[in-house]
Amino acid sequence: MAQPMTVIALENAVKRYHTGGEVIEALAGVDFGAERGEMVTVIGPSGSGKSTMLNLVGLLDTPSEGVVRLDGRDVTDFSEDQLTEERRSEIGFVFQAFHLLPMLTAAENVELPSMWDTARDRSDRAADLLRRVGLGDRLDHTPDELSGGQKQRVAIARALINEPDILLADEPTGNLDRDTGRTILDELTRLKRDENVAIVAVTHDEQLVEYADREVRLVDGVLQ
Amino acid sequence: MSRLADLVWRFPSVVMAWRNLGRNRVRTALATLGIVIGVVAIASLGIAGVAIQQQATTNLGGLANEVTVRSGVDSDTDGVTDEQVDAIRSVVADAPVVPKRTNSTTLSSRDGEEAFVSVTGVTNADALYTVSTGDSPERLQSGALLTNETAQRLGVELGDPVTYDGRLYRVRGLVESGDGFGSGSELVIPIAALDEQEGYDSVTIVAANGDEAQETVSTLESRFNEGDEEKLSITNFASIQENVNSFFDTLNLALLGIGAISLVVASVAILNVMLMSTIERRGEIGVLRAVGIRRGEVLRMILAEAAFLGVIGGVVGAAASFGTGLIIFDLLADDYTLVFGWASLRYLGYGFGFAVTASVLSGLYPAWKAANDLPVEALRG
Ligand SMILES: Nc1ncnc2c1ncn2[C@@H]1O[C@H](COP(=O)(O)OP(=O)(O)O)[C@@H](O)[C@H]1O
Ligand SMILES: [Mg+2]
């Protein structure tokens, strides 16, 4: 059987938040899909629901209505523990603020998602990934010894350690200057091809849009 | 990576916990200090109890096989009579029966040094006294025995005379004092020297051991005392020792209780520290969960942190308590090596066990809370 091209999909996804008697509809029926080997950017004004959508795609949250499909499987009603397993094996995250653990070295940070799989030693792959993002000589450095761009490369390597199908990035260049942002985007583009992952990136940055294969615009919880 | 690193990473929760504790050393040290104090409280109080008990038992030990008979409250004679002594002899068969008359006097040396001594008149002194120098006559007729310490103070040596009631007695042997209660300075002379007294002040029966002594007590009780009537008062130190033992068991429990309270206080401190540090790291734990770390793995990591605090505090506390134990035994028993006995060493184990248990219990709630925090919520901050 040919593997389905669309690796992650939202079908008519609605997300409502109940806050203080008020109901906010952050997503109002979104249909979205991403394929292996493509980079999709999600753009839109602040508060339009971009992060909410990324949380659903990343299986960090479940929709109020609609369906989430991972590799064609309906994972909408998965328990938190089942979702954790799917995130572990299928999804990598890159955050705007890097979120590396300060007490671990670069190599250990990269290994983090597989750290508790004691049966499988990922240290070689971690070193290899760090070399591929140009940090072969920084394996034993802790995050406070790295620049912002280097930290984001470590985070990208971490996102790829478990060979995921999907890499999600929320404002990956948001904390970086233009030139550093550009090198990060070059890196993502290369890895997208090499690792054949679907990249979904949320951004304000037009620079990032240039690198994307496709762009979707979100306004008030609706895709335009 | 080195082989050692490979090995430690087989326990990721433990490594992560260790690194996390290293991030805020002051906080870790203070949390540990609380545990140390708790352990020292439990273990040192326990060891002190053991030391006091051992000391008391040693003091009583030599007397456990002796039964003392005195005139009871319902007796119509002054002291124990000759007839009663004969009756006792017939009952106890071959155990030595030593009637005593007691008094006190002041001995003085040639250069004017004085010593107040209790005077005991006996015949068969050898049944009761073991001499350290000289000899203990089977039948004390003209000589005397004197406690070592008193002899030293007065400059009295073997063969020197001492005076009691105007008569001279040569010191034939020196005896150790301290074998039993109230036996400070003692002069032992022939019973004939106290002849002006009616009857005997007490009769000591020397049984083969503590059990036989207690048997003798009950035999004599049924022979001489009917119902509630007390013609003779019959006592044995073994029964006193039982009371002493149960008193010390209670005392030890009370001491342990006090120690346990300080550990409860320490574990509340651990709870507070763990709760604070997990709240501070909420976002970080959210990242762990987002990248696929399971709830149970987060739980184990945080429990390992709490356990580390307990283990470190327990080890340091046990070491400090061991030192305290050396001092306690040195002060109370003049022999610090006694601390190596199981009776006192086990309190180090109790202290350590309590510390680890209390810490892990305190870590449960923070760990559970952190593990079950939804990753989206944790990441939003
Ligand atoms: N956990 C939440 N509780 C309540 N409201 C939320 C929550 N998360 C997001 N929202 C609301 O949903 C809307 C979309 O938010 P978000 O997805 O963060 O937008 P964006 O990332 O595009 O700025 C906003 O109005 C925001 O206030
Ligand atoms: Mg956002």
Side-chain angles (χ1 to χ4, degrees):
Chain A
M1 199 180 98
Q3 48 173 322
M5 285 303 285
T6 301
V7 65
I8 184 77
L10 300 180
E11 294 171 7
N12 197 23
V14 174
K15 184 69 188 180
R16 291 186 203 98
Y17 292 111
H18 302 261
T19 40
E22 230 186 310
V23 178
I24 299 168
E25 198 162 65
L27 291 181
V30 166
D31 285 299
F32 173 81
E35 298 176 358
R36 282 193 186 79
E38 77 164 344
M39 181 175 343
V40 189
T41 55
V42 181
I43 56 171
S46 180
S48 58
K50 303 185 295 296
S51 296
T52 303
M53 182 178 144
L54 208 67
N55 288 341
L56 293 186
V57 171
L59 309 185
L60 286 171
D61 209 351
T62 48
S64 312
E65 277 172 35
V67 173
V68 184
R69 273 186 210 285
L70 178 67
D71 257 334
R73 288 174 297 142
D74 183 350
V75 298
T76 318
D77 297 324
F78 271 29
S79 69
E80 173 53 31
D81 289 341
Q82 288 172 304
L83 292 176
T84 303
E85 298 305 320
E86 300 298 343
R87 286 199 300 272
R88 192 180 183 108
S89 57
E90 307 296 345
I91 298 168
F93 287 92
V94 174
F95 305 93
Q96 177 174 356
F98 323 129
H99 288 319
L100 301 180
L101 299 197
M103 74 289 188
L104 299 182
T105 65
E108 288 163 350
N109 263 294
V110 173
E111 272 193 80
L112 181 69
S114 67
M115 202 161 265
W116 270 266
D117 288 335
T118 46
R120 207 155 59 146
D121 183 4
R122 290 293 203 152
S123 54
D124 290 342
R125 176 160 165 88
D128 178 51
L129 281 167
L130 281 173
R131 265 191 293 276
R132 281 159 66 189
V133 297
L135 292 175
D137 55 347
R138 296 282 190 279
L139 300 184
D140 293 328
H141 289 228
T142 50
D144 59 356
E145 299 165 336
L146 300 173
S147 69
Q150 289 172 327
K151 284 183 209 171
Q152 199 59 305
R153 286 158 205 262
V154 174
I156 290 168
R158 174 178 70 188
L160 294 171
I161 188 75
N162 280 339
E163 299 166 65
D165 289 335
I166 305 149
L167 192 154
L168 303 178
D170 200 344
E171 306 273 9
T173 56
N175 280 15
L176 304 173
D177 62 58
R178 251 189 110 70
D179 288 344
T180 314
R182 182 172 299 279
T183 62
I184 291 296
L185 290 169
D186 286 331
E187 212 72 77
L188 282 176
T189 310
R190 208 158 45 74
L191 289 165
K192 172 192 77 179
R193 253 186 280 112
D194 295 354
E195 299 275 325
N196 194 32
V197 290
I199 298 182
V200 181
V202 162
T203 192
H204 282 109
D205 184 0
E206 309 102 64
Q207 186 180 268
L208 205 156
V209 178
E210 292 167 29
Y211 282 81
D213 302 300
R214 193 153 65 84
E215 139 193 4
V216 295
R217 178 175 294 272
L218 198 56
V219 178
D220 288 338
V222 181
L223 280 182
Q224 303 294 298
Chain B
M1 239 188 271
S2 75
R3 230 190 273 161
L4 181 69
D6 279 350
L7 187 71
V8 296
W9 277 114
R10 284 182 179 269
F11 307 96
S13 304
V14 174
V15 181
M16 293 287 281
W18 180 252
R19 301 262 183 103
N20 280 329
L21 289 176
R23 289 161 72 176
N24 198 332
R25 299 228 167 94
V26 175
R27 181 157 69 190
T28 302
L30 288 177
T32 311
L33 183 64
I35 291 285
V36 169
I37 292 170
V39 173
V40 170
I42 284 198
S44 313
L45 288 176
I47 290 174
V50 171
I52 296 170
Q53 185 168 8
Q54 280 186 4
Q55 195 50 25
T57 307
T58 312
N59 285 343
L60 286 173
L63 299 175
N65 61 334
E66 291 184 5
V67 176
T68 305
V69 180
R70 288 172 208 281
S71 179
V73 287
D74 301 317
S75 169
D76 30 281
T77 57
D78 187 16
V80 183
T81 64
D82 275 316
E83 295 80 57
Q84 285 171 323
V85 172
D86 288 341
I88 291 170
R89 284 216 166 91
S90 67
V91 169
V92 302
D94 38 61
V97 174
V98 186
K100 288 181 184 176
R101 289 194 178 116
T102 52
N103 200 350
S104 59
T105 190
T106 305
L107 296 179
S108 45
S109 68
R110 256 168 260 130
D111 50 6
E113 190 81 34
E114 295 201 327
F116 182 79
V117 296
S118 57
V119 180
T120 310
V122 292
T123 45
N124 40 349
D126 65 321
L128 290 183
Y129 299 94
T130 331
V131 297
S132 54
T133 16
D135 52 23
S136 171
E138 199 179 317
R139 297 202 70 79
L140 196 64
Q141 260 154 3
S142 57
L145 304 178
L146 188 60
T147 41
N148 251 325
E149 209 193 358
T150 322
Q152 249 167 33
R153 192 140 53 87
L154 298 174
V156 172
E157 288 174 6
L158 285 183
D160 286 353
V162 291
T163 316
Y164 173 74
D165 203 17
R167 281 198 57 187
L168 290 181
Y169 300 90
R170 291 204 180 277
V171 174
R172 308 251 328 250
L174 298 179
V175 297
E176 288 292 341
S177 69
D179 191 23
F181 287 129
S183 50
S185 307
E186 193 175 8
L187 174 68
V188 185
I189 51 177
I191 199 156
L194 294 101
D195 248 356
E196 76 277 13
Q197 285 182 227
E198 278 261 343
Y200 302 100
D201 291 300
S202 68
V203 178
T204 301
I205 301 141
V206 186
N209 53 49
D211 288 341
E212 281 190 23
Q214 278 183 298
E215 241 170 76
T216 304
V217 170
S218 43
T219 319
L220 293 178
E221 284 285 357
S222 56
R223 169 74 175 70
F224 291 100
N225 297 329
E226 283 163 26
D228 283 342
E229 193 189 49
E230 194 187 48
K231 280 251 157 64
L232 292 179
S233 140
I234 303 155
T235 52
N236 164 238
F237 281 109
S239 55
I240 293 179
Q241 184 159 359
E242 266 173 28
N243 290 340
V244 169
N245 281 347
S246 84
F247 166 74
F248 277 111
D249 287 345
T250 315
L251 179 72
N252 277 353
L253 220 58
L255 291 178
L256 272 189
I258 295 170
I261 289 170
S262 51
L263 251 187
V264 168
V265 174
S267 48
V268 171
I270 295 272
L271 175 65
N272 182 37
V273 162
M274 294 303 301
L275 217 50
M276 276 178 33
S277 88
T278 48
I279 288 168
E280 271 171 26
R281 288 183 287 156
R282 189 175 183 219
E284 192 175 304
I285 292 165
V287 172
L288 287 175
R289 298 279 291 107
V291 304
I293 306 303
R294 301 177 179 109
R295 290 192 293 184
E297 293 161 346
V298 171
L299 187 91
R300 268 182 281 152
M301 178 182 86
I302 294 169
L303 275 185
E305 287 177 30
F308 260 127
L309 293 177
V311 169
I312 300 169
V315 167
V316 175
S321 309
F322 183 75
T324 314
L326 289 176
I327 297 171
I328 290 173
F329 272 100
D330 196 43
L331 289 180
L332 288 184
D334 258 340
D335 182 3
Y336 63 84
T337 58
L338 288 175
V339 79
F340 295 104
W342 169 243
S344 49
L345 281 188
R346 69 200 165 116
Y347 282 99
L348 301 183
Y350 292 164
F352 181 81
F354 267 113
V356 176
T357 313
S359 301
V360 171
L361 287 180
S362 307
L364 275 177
Y365 173 67
W368 177 86
K369 196 166 175 286
N372 286 291
D373 204 2
L374 288 173
V376 237
E377 298 296 325
L379 281 168
R380 270 168 57 94

